[in-house]
Amino acid sequence: MTALEKATGDVVFKFEPFVLHVLCQELQDAQLLHSVAINSGFRNSGITVGRGGKITMAVRSTHCLEVPLSHKGKLMVSEEYIEFLIQVANRKMEENT
């Protein structure tokens, strides 16, 4: 809270979800992994094929969180709300595990 009160710009509370990139030899391997990821709840997962034919499967969670806390140095939320955000982010971190 002390650092937040001293901030002069915009401050954002941000939680990034789990991401795992897997390089696959064959497209069917990536498709199988994609199916497993989607069925396990990683809804933002996807397959990309690079120019050289490199096949990458990205396992991504939807557990993101981004909330502005201050604007131009002015705190826009209460300390109680920040504590709530921390609890939510910690739960999301546990879900990542």
Side-chain angles (χ1 to χ4, degrees):
M1 286 305 298
T2 303
L4 187 57
E5 290 166 0
K6 292 180 182 178
T8 57
D10 294 353
V11 176
V12 176
F13 183 94
K14 189 170 186 177
F15 174 82
E16 295 283 340
F18 170 80
V19 177
L20 172 68
H21 291 102
V22 180
L23 189 58
C24 299
Q25 263 187 316
E26 303 290 332
L27 182 57
Q28 66 192 44
D29 298 331
Q31 290 171 326
L32 177 60
L33 181 56
H34 181 259
S35 177
V36 169
I38 295 295
N39 290 334
S40 297
F42 295 97
R43 298 183 206 343
N44 283 347
S45 299
I47 300 169
T48 56
V49 180
R51 286 185 219 146
K54 187 171 17 173
I55 302 164
T56 304
M57 167 54 206
V59 179
R60 290 188 289 256
S61 169
T62 58
H63 300 112
C64 60
L65 178 66
E66 187 170 355
V67 181
L69 301 179
S70 71
H71 180 65
K72 296 181 181 177
K74 181 181 178 202
L75 188 60
M76 305 301 289
V77 297
S78 69
E79 186 173 348
E80 180 183 4
Y81 185 68
I82 293 170
E83 290 171 9
F84 168 74
L85 287 176
I86 292 168
Q87 291 174 6
V88 170
N90 284 338
R91 277 196 306 270
K92 290 178 181 290
M93 181 63 84
E94 290 173 12
E95 290 174 15
N96 274 340
T97 303

